[in-house]
Amino acid sequence: MIQHFDPSQHDKALAKDLGTPAPAADAAPVSVEIDGVEITVPEGTSVLRAAALADINIPKLCATDSLEAFGSCRLCAVQVEGRRGTPAACTTPVAEGMKVTTQNDRLARLRRNIMELYISDHPLDCLTCPANGDCELQDMAGAVGLREVRYGFEGENHLAAETDHSNPYFSFDPSKCIVCSRCVRACEEVQGTFALTIDGRGFDSTVAAGQDEAFMDSECVSCGACVQACPTSTLMEKSVIDAGQPEHSVVTTCAYCGVGCSFEAQMKGDQLVRMVPYKGGDANHGHSCVKGRFAFGYATHPDRITTPMIRDAIDQPWRPVDWDEAISFAAKRLTAIQDEHGRESIGGITSSRCTNEETYLVQKLIRAAFGNNNTDTCARVCHSPTGYGLKTTLGESAGTQTFDSVMAADAIIVIGANPTDAHPVFGSMMRKRLRQGASLIVADPRRIDLLNTPHLEDAQHLPLRPGTNVALVNALAHVVVTEGLEDHDFIARRCDTEAYRAWRDFIGEARHSPEATESVTGVPAEAVRRAARTYATAGNGAIYYGLGVTEHSQGSTMVMGIANLALATGNIGREGVGVNPLRGQNNVQGSCDMGSFPHELPGYQHVADVAARGRFEAAWGVKLDDEPGLRIPNMFDAAIEGSFKALYVQGEDIAQSDPDTQHVEAALRSLDCLIVQDIFLNETAKFAHVLLPGSSFLEKDGTFTNAERRINRVRRVMPPLAGKADWEVTVDLARALGYPMEYTHPSEIMDEIARLTPTFAGVSYDRLDEHGSLQWPCNEEHPDGTPTMHEVDFPIGRGRFAITEYVATEERASRRFPLLLTTGRILSQYNVGAQTRRTDNQVWHDEDVIEVHPSDAEVRGIQDGDWLGVTSRAGQTVLRARLSERMQPGVVYTTFHHPGSGANVITTSSSDWATNCPEYKVTAVQVEKVSQPSQWQRRFDEADRRQREYLATARDAAS
């Protein structure tokens, strides 16, 4: 069996499957006697779980503690004193004074008979079965002492059932299915997709996907919950079939979205066999999505850059060199540029893909070795308005709750987010709460899948026009104020009275009413009033928002508007409420926390703060600049203008992810030195002079901070393919620039972070191993972290209402550009697609398409599948049409996962007024049928071909 990496007693307690879930935490204690052992457990505990807690193992097949008790296999039958028969231990709750017998001759015979029936319709190929050594059916046959099977295979059986290989990651072999229903229940209870059913009755019962379809043709989202739940090899990872059973595992954290799921990386030596969601993960509780569970093959893909390379100009082939020469080349160029053009002529971009420790080092490199504050991060283009808006109103630049908090919400507002695609594990948790009866309100120009949640009773969709978020949130607040739905006690106790009065006067004006704003937002007034009443009167109202809030010209204003709404209704400071930004990438929160912005040191301490700056100067041994540096858009403009000459980019692909691609490309071409550190030749690296191999999350130690401020350990499971982890490369570059960084392990970097960052003061690797994870603030006041923020007060004392005037975006539909384009993500692909495009996730989404409403298509003579030229004032690209009614007429939608699609060729330089976060979500466009790629796409294809040839030549030389 697999030996687990268990750094604490907390983890060891989670390694055992207790058979059924725990009852409510506040249940009364009950004492029972099981096989003569007395144990006290909470009321509602099953006999099976109570026995397991007493280290008494009752055989089971259909039971697992991740699913509700089902009682189908009968293998866990027990005897209860004073009761007739042999009830199933999994469905029998304990009672005070109950006496249970789990082992005697009668029970042993019963269990052997049950197992004999299972085995009589099961292939006897254990030695060649991929689950051999990790099969619960095999284990239970041994546990009950089955030694012979009296029933042969001569009669009717299922042994000839054909295996379904359609899914790229797992197979379904119905000949080995024992119809325990665990897969079906996992799909319902854990994932919430309801893609699996039991078809037929009695002996004819079989597991079916969809309407008895192949898995790939069904509604299955390949989250892996069914595979994880299967007690046999019926559902089995193809990686295990190919490589065999893993022999050890390491607990680490997923490097995809901001949920921050914990996984066991199960290994054979240095080979990763499978990623299994870790039951002790505080963010995911043993669940996963298709990306984290299966799409890990990119880490060892042949495209990985494993050798440092340099060149004098971007139209020259690469020269493979060793690490010392590459670092020396980069350092000399940076030094020469600063000598000629001044200290401010260079800068760097940190990564939301890398660890906290690596991000911290990059901004330290820029401030201490470059000598300026020209540091920025991809969070600029996604959630910088979150930091500004929440800091202004609540005093802290982060969300207020745990993910688990949603399970106490009575009304849930989702604004500009698509959790089931972009944050799937949290989306499943939210769906579970919705099935339990919570109300759902979605404000989005597009109809998202969450609205189609099975068994959802009360769903409200507010299909607002792109760019009108602030008008909508003001209308919601207007209803709260004018209908007397405010929480006056909360406001009096917790909020700034003067700011509240000014805001109340402002928001109460008739121009903010749903009737007055209906012509702006396109949302019927009565729908707005109903939504406001639902949220304000629900008891616990929670707001979750995404990039559809922040990536607007009024992104910061909208975040403040959301906070205003929560403050006015008292939905702050307890479970089930809050303002909750859904961060896109795995460490967006961490990259902000670590001081990646040009105006803030780690912990959101302003560079102009003399005391804060003094602490860093003392620790780092240098004088720091007290003036904010350049933001990413400023860097691009200065590069084109000629004053900004060199850029160090770690783990970001700005050439694909930033708006107005042609402007970005012009800036990158203007640089005298571009240093890119990444695992692939991404779009940015094609403009680089120095290409330093990066390391994947599997090759490093460190931490990620997820969207709920949860700091999770990242643990190295294999050696870096290029020989160095990212943090080691940054240390080498700093030394080459004459600024020594003395670290031997990332834990030492975290120790330095804790000394200099008040919210991380109580964080260390030892404490993370002890607790599993910690949520900042973690300090003397909150030694075990802070799951729920603002319970008693706010960091700024009292909550501050902000005036949120609606200002229409300049990016409006016109006669020339009559449609509004908005963008988003899809489940199978991730961000710029650099990782997922190098996995079998390609089978679900191998190109970006543009969704067009049928009425808009009819006017233009567009058919499904036509090639469409999509033109904005920034540029043109060509995408395939997909007719869809998910958007309202006048709105089109696309994703941005494939670089050749050029989605950001057409997005513009319009940005948030406070933070320069780009307005990706509103671009005025025209679409028309075309027969060839755009000029930009033709140039892209040619440049891509040439750069790949340069890389191939370099690799040939290196080998």
Side-chain angles (χ1 to χ4, degrees):
M1 296 297 290
I2 297 167
Q3 294 180 345
H4 298 266
F5 178 90
D6 291 328
S8 70
Q9 294 298 319
H10 168 75
D11 291 329
K12 291 176 182 177
L14 292 163
K16 186 174 183 178
D17 189 329
L18 301 177
T20 59
D26 57 354
V30 173
S31 295
V32 297
E33 183 183 300
I34 304 175
D35 290 347
V37 176
E38 187 168 314
I39 181 171
T40 300
V41 294
E43 186 178 15
T45 302
S46 71
V47 169
L48 182 62
R49 184 180 181 88
L53 290 169
D55 288 328
I56 298 170
N57 297 318
I58 301 174
K60 57 182 170 50
L61 275 175
C62 74
T64 177
D65 58 13
S66 62
L67 302 172
E68 295 298 325
F70 194 59
S72 69
C73 75
R74 307 297 298 173
L75 202 62
C76 67
V78 295
Q79 289 181 302
V80 178
E81 186 177 282
R83 297 190 188 180
R84 299 177 59 185
T86 52
C90 64
T91 57
T92 302
V94 296
E96 184 64 39
M98 175 184 283
K99 293 185 178 181
V100 180
T101 299
T102 73
Q103 300 288 343
N104 59 31
D105 289 344
R106 180 188 177 192
L107 292 171
R109 286 194 301 272
L110 174 62
R111 291 170 182 159
R112 281 195 295 270
N113 287 340
I114 292 170
M115 280 302 304
E116 192 174 5
L117 291 172
Y118 276 122
I119 298 301
S120 70
D121 191 19
H122 195 84
L124 299 179
D125 59 353
C126 288
L127 293 180
T128 57
C129 178
N132 187 26
D134 189 27
C135 172
E136 293 181 46
L137 185 69
Q138 188 182 59
D139 294 342
M140 291 304 103
V144 303
L146 184 65
R147 298 293 177 262
E148 62 178 351
V149 179
R150 291 168 290 173
Y151 316 111
F153 295 146
E154 295 81 7
E156 188 175 359
N157 58 59
H158 301 91
L159 301 183
E162 294 185 7
T163 301
D164 177 1
H165 295 290
S166 63
N167 189 284
Y169 294 120
F170 60 84
S171 63
F172 171 60
D173 183 355
S175 73
K176 296 181 178 178
C177 180
I178 60 173
V179 200
C180 64
S181 295
R182 275 168 57 166
C183 60
V184 177
R185 291 149 55 208
C187 191
E188 295 177 1
E189 297 176 23
V190 180
Q191 170 57 28
T193 299
F194 291 77
L196 303 181
T197 59
I198 299 295
D199 191 20
R201 298 182 60 129
F203 182 80
D204 294 325
S205 298
T206 58
V207 171
Q211 301 296 312
D212 200 15
E213 304 163 289
F215 268 80
M216 282 299 288
D217 297 330
S218 73
E219 294 180 346
C220 170
V221 294
S222 299
C223 68
C226 60
V227 180
Q228 180 73 1
C230 181
T232 69
S233 65
T234 304
L235 287 156
M236 176 60 67
E237 299 97 333
K238 292 181 178 178
S239 59
V240 176
I241 295 173
D242 292 340
Q245 288 291 327
E247 42 82 20
H248 75 279
S249 71
V250 178
V251 176
T252 190
T253 304
C254 180
Y256 279 114
C257 77
V259 174
C261 295
S262 298
F263 278 87
E264 291 183 36
Q266 297 192 349
M267 313 288 295
K268 290 186 74 170
D270 290 336
Q271 179 187 8
L272 177 57
V273 176
R274 65 182 171 193
M275 295 287 283
V276 176
Y278 179 51
K279 188 168 64 173
D282 293 316
N284 61 314
H285 305 295
H287 190 33
S288 60
C289 79
V290 62
K291 295 186 285 287
R293 181 68 157 90
F294 297 116
F296 54 81
Y298 73 88
T300 52
H301 194 277
D303 285 353
R304 281 289 301 272
I305 302 297
T306 57
T307 303
M309 291 180 283
I310 60 176
R311 58 185 177 183
D312 293 317
I314 64 174
D315 58 356
Q316 296 178 356
W318 291 104
R319 287 190 292 120
V321 295
D322 62 23
W323 276 107
D324 288 342
E325 185 174 352
I327 295 294
S328 176
F329 180 90
K332 287 177 180 177
R333 279 218 166 185
L334 293 173
T335 300
I337 288 169
Q338 282 192 305
D339 287 344
E340 181 178 355
H341 299 282
R343 180 169 53 88
E344 297 288 342
S345 61
I346 68 174
I349 297 177
T350 72
S351 176
S352 294
R353 317 286 309 123
C354 292
T355 64
N356 286 317
E357 294 76 6
E358 290 162 344
T359 303
Y360 174 86
L361 286 194
V362 171
Q363 63 84 34
K364 180 178 179 179
L365 168 81
I366 294 163
R367 292 190 159 103
F370 291 7
N372 61 50
N373 286 317
N374 294 336
T375 175
D376 211 347
T377 179
C378 87
R380 164 79 54 216
V381 301
C382 59
H383 268 285
S384 50
T386 286
Y388 185 93
L390 295 186
K391 188 94 170 181
T392 300
T393 52
L394 307 182
E396 195 60 86
S397 303
T400 62
Q401 312 293 128
T402 64
F403 288 140
D404 288 351
S405 172
V406 76
M407 298 306 294
D410 300 306
I412 299 168
I413 299 183
V414 178
I415 310 177
N418 189 359
T420 56
D421 275 21
H423 304 85
V425 169
F426 176 66
S428 294
M429 185 184 298
M430 185 180 285
R431 275 184 155 168
K432 184 174 184 178
R433 179 57 186 155
L434 294 173
R435 293 196 305 274
Q436 293 174 351
S439 300
L440 174 66
I441 302 158
V442 172
D444 200 293
R446 188 167 176 260
R447 185 174 179 86
I448 62 173
D449 288 339
L450 198 65
L451 288 160
N452 300 325
T453 295
H455 308 297
L456 174 60
E457 295 181 359
D458 183 18
Q460 302 173 43
H461 183 205
L462 309 180
L464 74 167
R465 294 191 183 107
T468 63
N469 285 345
V470 173
L472 177 66
V473 79
N474 283 348
L476 291 168
H478 178 89
V479 175
V480 170
V481 167
T482 57
E483 295 190 5
L485 302 178
E486 297 155 283
D487 187 334
H488 294 284
D489 178 65
F490 179 89
I491 294 168
R493 288 186 297 105
R494 302 288 308 277
C495 299
D496 183 284
T497 304
E498 185 176 340
Y500 163 66
R501 287 173 180 163
W503 173 79
R504 197 180 194 283
D505 290 343
F506 161 79
I507 211 68
E509 294 175 13
R511 64 193 177 99
H512 297 306
S513 71
E515 290 73 19
T517 57
E518 182 173 337
S519 62
V520 175
T521 66
V523 181
E526 188 51 42
V528 175
R529 289 192 176 277
R530 182 187 175 209
R533 293 162 186 158
T534 299
Y535 171 73
T537 63
N540 285 339
I543 303 176
Y544 296 86
Y545 69 88
L547 303 185
V549 160
T550 56
E551 291 178 344
H552 285 275
S553 61
Q554 281 200 287
S556 293
T557 308
M558 181 59 180
V559 172
M560 291 188 285
I562 290 171
N564 288 341
L565 191 61
L567 289 170
T569 54
N571 280 307
I572 291 284
R574 63 181 187 277
E575 282 287 280
V577 300
V579 177
N580 306 282
L582 295 176
R583 304 282 187 164
Q585 297 187 69
N586 57 302
N587 204 35
V588 169
Q589 182 67 61
S591 68
C592 299
D593 299 341
M594 292 299 104
S596 294
F597 290 127
H599 65 293
E600 288 176 332
L601 296 161
Y604 307 99
Q605 301 171 88
H606 202 281
V607 295
D609 184 324
V610 175
R613 196 174 65 253
R615 288 192 294 272
F616 283 91
E617 289 176 339
W620 294 354
V622 294
K623 188 73 174 175
L624 297 178
D625 193 344
D626 62 355
E627 289 289 333
L630 298 177
R631 296 172 173 178
I632 290 174
N634 306 137
M635 293 182 193
F636 293 157
D637 291 342
I640 293 172
E641 180 268 331
S643 60
F644 189 77
K645 293 292 185 178
L647 183 64
Y648 171 38
V649 182
Q650 183 191 75
E652 290 296 340
D653 194 359
I654 52 179
Q656 185 181 344
S657 64
D658 280 45
D660 198 353
T661 298
Q662 296 180 90
H663 181 72
V664 176
E665 291 175 343
L668 296 179
R669 287 193 193 95
S670 301
L671 295 172
D672 290 347
C673 181
L674 174 60
I675 304 166
V676 171
Q677 184 176 336
D678 216 298
I679 63 177
F680 299 118
L681 180 75
N682 60 22
E683 303 313 305
T684 306
K686 294 171 184 176
F687 296 89
H689 304 87
V690 181
L691 183 52
L692 304 175
S695 54
S696 75
F697 77 111
L698 297 169
E699 301 159 38
K700 61 180 71 172
D701 286 291
T703 57
F704 294 149
T705 306
N706 74 352
E708 52 174 357
R709 297 170 285 102
R710 187 179 302 282
I711 307 161
N712 268 320
R713 282 280 281 114
V714 179
R715 297 183 178 90
R716 174 173 154 173
V717 303
M718 61 176 66
L721 294 186
K724 291 180 182 288
D726 289 324
W727 69 272
E728 295 174 299
V729 179
T730 305
V731 166
D732 289 346
L733 182 57
R735 288 171 178 165
L737 288 168
Y739 180 78
M741 291 186 183
E742 304 298 337
Y743 306 102
T744 60
H745 190 268
S747 61
E748 298 169 2
I749 306 172
M750 178 53 73
D751 291 342
E752 182 176 312
I753 293 168
R755 288 194 298 272
L756 295 172
T757 308
T759 51
F760 276 66
V763 179
S764 68
Y765 281 22
D766 286 344
R767 297 206 72 226
L768 289 171
D769 286 344
E770 176 187 354
H771 289 270
S773 65
L774 292 167
Q775 289 175 268
W776 68 258
C778 182
N779 46 34
E780 287 187 8
E781 187 178 354
H782 306 282
D784 295 329
T786 312
T788 302
M789 296 274 279
H790 316 311
E791 288 184 316
V792 178
D793 56 17
F794 296 96
I796 52 176
R798 287 175 168 260
R800 293 178 186 164
F801 287 85
I803 301 300
T804 53
E805 191 70 65
Y806 167 64
V807 179
T809 174
E810 294 180 1
E811 192 64 21
R812 308 176 198 177
S814 64
R815 182 176 299 177
R816 184 182 176 194
F817 302 117
L819 303 174
L820 292 179
L821 169 73
T822 189
T823 63
R825 296 177 178 175
I826 200 166
L827 172 64
S828 57
Q829 294 286 2
Y830 177 71
N831 206 35
V832 297
Q835 297 150 280
T836 45
R837 281 186 282 108
R838 291 174 171 89
T839 71
D840 284 331
N841 280 31
Q842 279 286 89
V843 303
W844 286 284
H845 186 83
D846 61 356
E847 66 173 344
D848 294 317
V849 299
I850 184 161
E851 296 184 17
V852 182
H853 193 276
S855 65
D856 293 321
E858 183 178 6
V859 170
R860 294 164 176 79
I862 295 169
Q863 302 294 320
D864 198 74
D866 284 349
W867 287 106
L868 300 184
V870 187
T871 307
S872 74
R873 61 182 173 87
Q876 183 192 56
T877 193
V878 173
L879 297 165
R880 195 186 304 274
R882 176 172 296 163
L883 302 192
S884 170
E885 294 185 351
R886 296 181 70 170
M887 305 82 54
Q888 57 191 292
V891 179
V892 293
Y893 172 88
T894 191
T895 51
F896 49 87
H897 304 302
H898 295 266
S901 299
N904 281 321
V905 171
I906 49 180
T907 54
T908 70
S909 58
S910 179
S911 65
D912 173 52
W913 63 271
T915 67
N916 280 137
C917 182
E919 191 168 39
Y920 291 108
K921 303 306 182 188
V922 190
T923 304
V925 300
Q926 177 62 289
V927 301
E928 57 187 343
K929 293 172 64 173
V930 296
S931 58
Q932 59 184 355
S934 69
Q935 290 184 3
W936 178 87
Q937 285 170 315
R938 289 196 291 270
R939 292 197 304 270
F940 171 86
D941 289 342
E942 173 58 27
D944 179 66
R945 180 193 60 77
R946 185 168 61 252
Q947 293 296 330
R948 291 187 183 280
E949 286 177 355
Y950 292 160
L951 178 61
T953 300
R955 282 180 160 161
D956 289 343
S959 61

